[in-house]
Amino acid sequence: MTTSHSVVLVADPSPPRNRVVRRFLRHRLALFGVVTLLLLVLACVVGPWLLPYDQLSIDIRKRFAPPFTGLHFFGTDPLGRDLAARLLMAGRVSLMVGFSAMLVSVALGATVGLVAGYLRGWVGATLMRIVDAFLAFPSVFLVLVLAAFTEPSPLAITLIIAATSWMEIARIVEAETRSLRERDFVLAARLLGSSHLRIIGRELLPNAIGPIIVAATLTVAQAILLEAYISFLGYGIQPPLPSWGNMLNSAQQYLGSAPWLAIVPGIAIALAVTSFNFVGDGLRDALDARSEER
Amino acid sequence: MTRFLIQRFVQSLIILVLVSVIGFFVLNLAPGGPLSQFSLSPGMSQAELDRIAAQMGLDRPLPVQYLDWFGRLLGGDWGNSFRDGRPVLEVIGGHLPATLLLMGSSTLVSVVIGGWVGVLGAIRRYSVFDYLATIGAMIALSIPTFWFGLVAIYVFSLELGWLPAGNMYTIGDQSLSDYASHLVLPTLVLALVNVAIWSRYMRSSTLDVIGEDFVRTAQAKGLSDWRVLRDHVIRNALLPMITLAGLQLPTLLGGALVTETVFTWPGMGRLFLDSLGYNDYPVIMGILMFSAVLVLLGNLLADLLVAVVDPRIRIS
């Protein structure tokens, strides 16, 4: 530091926690999202034990039963398997893949964003150009190629989805870090002799956590959609392990005779993704100090 | 302005190089890598494979191989399809028009509908319409394109029988109206997500412009609301949309791939999926690289267009 700075105390710009919670609770769609997600997760975790049918038990006599036939609430599939049981098992897989992919891509994206935003210079520029390069590929194309080139397993699919959805978070975190690093508390930390790693981990990351949480929520939605896309196209989760996407793949050919096979998993996907999007939107409004005056 | 454009051009070149590095890495992930054409066929001994690998230069260090591959890419030699031996660029070129037609028609629909929904939502902010448009857009963004396609086929083709369920034309009847009727469903399905995106961005862009001084000046001059909206608000609000169109290209291409699959539309996306099924690596890699280059060009073009249209950039 060649120039001398007078240390100016700036009020903490992040709104107090209870105000954030209050604003979030006012967001009705976000509440709808939270409740739906809780119910969905609960159903997927507990549901398969409560249903009278196993998701893999085949009953050829009862194939293509329409919804509400006896205890088959959502009907049966071409092999007579209970659709509700399959839907809930598929939900476990799809939600798990979506959530895990989010964790990996947030870790990757936040790291790249923090490093690029903090160091700037040619390291930051190079990192951000790499982000741009990844963004140039339509993600469905890239995910499909990677999935086709590797042995498909839930873990591989998760990593592949994460590998193609970290860029947005990196961009957000980079922009946030760039502005944060000029702030007085970072300067203070540096004057105290904190190491780069400590400044990134203890000063920058906690202050950038708001945008990261918002982006993470929206990333889960995107990851669930992406899994659905590639599984629908036959390169994602492989049967007999069900996922919402591959249930739709097999439903396609029975569209005319058994439309519920396509409609039920589709609604599940739409419900889950919409909910995550609503929650992300609500979090953004709640964490954004500027939305106070509205 | 020229400096800005040169800067953007150089940046695009750097990104192109990085894109090619990613592409090369992906190519080497393929089972058997570039050698797969031979290693996949039975009856090939390891000695023969080694000989071919040496012939193809695959025994050289990776950086050298990469430079060689990238050089051929730049020179237009993208390899030949495993399936029919035709040059990759020729195969892609044959499928490109169908994809461009679909992307074009659906962009037209989504810009017009999405644009107006956004403008109306902005000038009637917090109205019932605005609220419904917001929720509608969120839901549209949450529904998988292919599922919306399946439902559209079920309703409009199977149940109502109004529109064909797939393909680009009926064999034997290739009249304009036949093409048009095949285009309707895929266009609308692909447009749905984009209408949602465009309406959201147009809404916030319009809101930004409405607060500007020149809008108040125009109103003070006594212009009618419609003239203020048309000549001052919308024209300026559309500017950021040019950049958005560039940024939306990957999403649009990805959406086209899925839509083409559902509607058996003979475009690049359909070709991509077929090639995956045949392990036709040169074509797969070709389409992957081609779409990335297309996206980079689109973004560059959008920047160029903004620079030409926006007086603020034109002058500085």
Side-chain angles (χ1 to χ4, degrees), chain B residues 4 239-240 242-243 301-311 313-314:
Chain B
F4 165 76
L239 263 179
I242 301 175
T243 315
L301 200 71
D303 283 339
L304 193 82
L305 217 64
V306 170
V308 170
V309 179
D310 193 339
I313 297 181
R314 197 167 53 208

Side-chain angles (χ1 to χ4, degrees), chain A residues 28-29 126 129-130 132-142 144-146 148-150 171 222 225 228-229 232-233 235 245 248 252 255-256 259 262-267 269-270 273-274 277-278 281 294, chain B residues 11 14-15 18-19 22-23 26-27 29-31 125-126 131 135 138-139 141-147 150 153-154 158 250 253-254 257-258 261-262 272-273 276-277 281 284-285 287-289 291-292 295-296:
Chain A
R28 260 174 287 170
L29 289 174
T126 310
R129 291 299 83 75
I130 293 175
D132 288 340
F134 268 96
L135 281 170
F137 292 102
S139 50
V140 182
F141 283 69
L142 200 54
L144 275 175
V145 174
L146 291 172
F149 283 3
T150 49
R171 276 195 164 175
Q222 280 311 307
L225 268 185
Y229 278 121
F232 169 73
L233 295 171
Y235 290 92
L248 283 165
Q252 200 177 7
L255 204 55
I263 291 168
V264 172
I267 289 175
I269 297 173
V273 178
T274 317
N277 279 334
F278 281 156
D281 210 42
R294 281 190 216 155
Chain B
Q11 213 173 45
I14 295 172
I15 299 174
L18 291 169
V19 159
I22 299 172
V26 172
L27 177 69
L29 266 184
R125 200 178 172 190
Y126 301 137
Y131 199 63
I135 298 180
M138 292 271 263
I139 293 175
L141 284 172
S142 306
I143 296 177
T145 305
F146 62 84
W147 187 68
L150 291 181
I153 290 176
Y154 177 65
L158 300 181
L253 268 169
L257 176 140
V258 178
T261 315
V262 175
F272 183 74
L273 221 70
L276 277 182
Y281 299 135
I284 297 170
M285 288 310 300
I287 295 177
L288 192 66
M289 294 305 293
S291 50
V295 167
L296 286 180

Side-chain angles (χ1 to χ4, degrees), chain B residues 102-120:
Chain B
L102 180 60
M103 279 168 57
S105 65
S106 107
T107 301
L108 193 70
V109 170
S110 40
V111 168
V112 172
I113 299 179
W116 275 111
V117 170
V119 169
L120 290 178

Side-chain angles (χ1 to χ4, degrees), chain B residues 43 70 75 83 96 204 231 235 240-241 245 263 271:
Chain B
F70 190 45
R83 244 198 301 178
L96 194 59
S204 65
D231 295 346
R235 274 178 67 162
M241 298 298 109
F263 289 96
L271 172 71

Side-chain angles (χ1 to χ4, degrees), chain B:
Chain B
M1 179 173 113
T2 15
R3 238 196 85 192
F4 165 76
L5 287 179
I6 291 174
Q7 224 172 12
R8 284 295 292 125
F9 185 71
V10 172
Q11 213 173 45
S12 301
L13 280 184
I14 295 172
I15 299 174
L16 178 69
V17 171
L18 291 169
V19 159
S20 72
V21 173
I22 299 172
F24 184 71
F25 176 75
V26 172
L27 177 69
N28 279 282
L29 266 184
L35 203 60
S36 50
Q37 183 182 11
F38 307 99
S39 61
L40 287 179
S41 66
M44 273 284 197
S45 71
Q46 191 55 45
E48 277 173 309
L49 281 177
D50 288 343
R51 197 169 46 81
I52 296 172
Q55 256 173 20
M56 288 170 74
L58 295 176
D59 50 354
R60 294 172 299 170
L62 274 180
V64 178
Q65 286 188 43
Y66 162 74
L67 284 178
D68 184 43
W69 175 78
F70 190 45
R72 271 182 289 136
L73 220 60
L74 289 180
D77 175 15
W78 291 37
N80 295 319
S81 161
F82 286 173
R83 244 198 301 178
D84 50 15
R86 282 162 61 212
V88 167
L89 275 182
E90 193 186 306
V91 177
I92 295 177
H95 287 77
L96 194 59
T99 297
L100 291 183
L101 174 68
L102 180 60
M103 279 168 57
S105 65
S106 107
T107 301
L108 193 70
V109 170
S110 40
V111 168
V112 172
I113 299 179
W116 275 111
V117 170
V119 169
L120 290 178
I123 56 178
R124 300 260 180 277
R125 200 178 172 190
Y126 301 137
S127 65
V128 176
F129 174 81
D130 187 29
Y131 199 63
L132 288 180
T134 304
I135 298 180
M138 292 271 263
I139 293 175
L141 284 172
S142 306
I143 296 177
T145 305
F146 62 84
W147 187 68
F148 186 62
L150 291 181
V151 172
I153 290 176
Y154 177 65
V155 174
F156 294 105
S157 304
L158 300 181
E159 289 294 307
L160 297 172
W162 288 353
L163 291 162
N167 292 325
M168 200 167 160
Y169 49 82
T170 318
I171 295 170
D173 173 18
Q174 293 184 23
S175 61
L176 203 61
S177 66
D178 184 55
Y179 271 107
S181 71
H182 282 83
L183 191 58
V184 174
L185 279 187
T187 297
L188 291 181
V189 166
L190 182 55
L192 183 77
V193 171
N194 295 297
V195 168
I197 294 170
W198 282 91
S199 71
R200 298 320 296 150
Y201 280 93
M202 192 64 192
R203 179 181 181 271
S204 65
S205 174
T206 308
L207 281 175
D208 285 345
V209 174
I210 279 181
E212 295 266 4
D213 288 339
F214 61 78
V215 173
R216 205 176 326 137
T217 310
Q219 281 168 333
K221 278 195 301 189
L223 292 181
S224 68
D225 284 350
W226 166 244
R227 292 260 333 250
V228 174
L229 191 67
R230 189 191 63 186
D231 295 346
H232 296 270
V233 176
I234 294 183
R235 274 178 67 162
N236 284 290
L238 276 175
L239 263 179
M241 298 298 109
I242 301 175
T243 315
L244 176 70
L247 292 176
Q248 276 312 114
L249 257 180
T251 316
L252 190 61
L253 268 169
L257 176 140
V258 178
T259 312
E260 285 176 7
T261 315
V262 175
F263 289 96
T264 54
W265 188 262
M268 209 168 71
R270 183 77 225 167
L271 172 71
F272 183 74
L273 221 70
D274 286 346
S275 306
L276 277 182
Y278 283 102
N279 292 329
D280 194 347
Y281 299 135
V283 175
I284 297 170
M285 288 310 300
I287 295 177
L288 192 66
M289 294 305 293
F290 187 84
S291 50
V293 172
L294 209 63
V295 167
L296 286 180
L297 279 180
N299 283 328
L300 203 60
L301 200 71
D303 283 339
L304 193 82
L305 217 64
V306 170
V308 170
V309 179
D310 193 339
R312 281 163 297 191
I313 297 181
R314 197 167 53 208
I315 291 162
S316 63

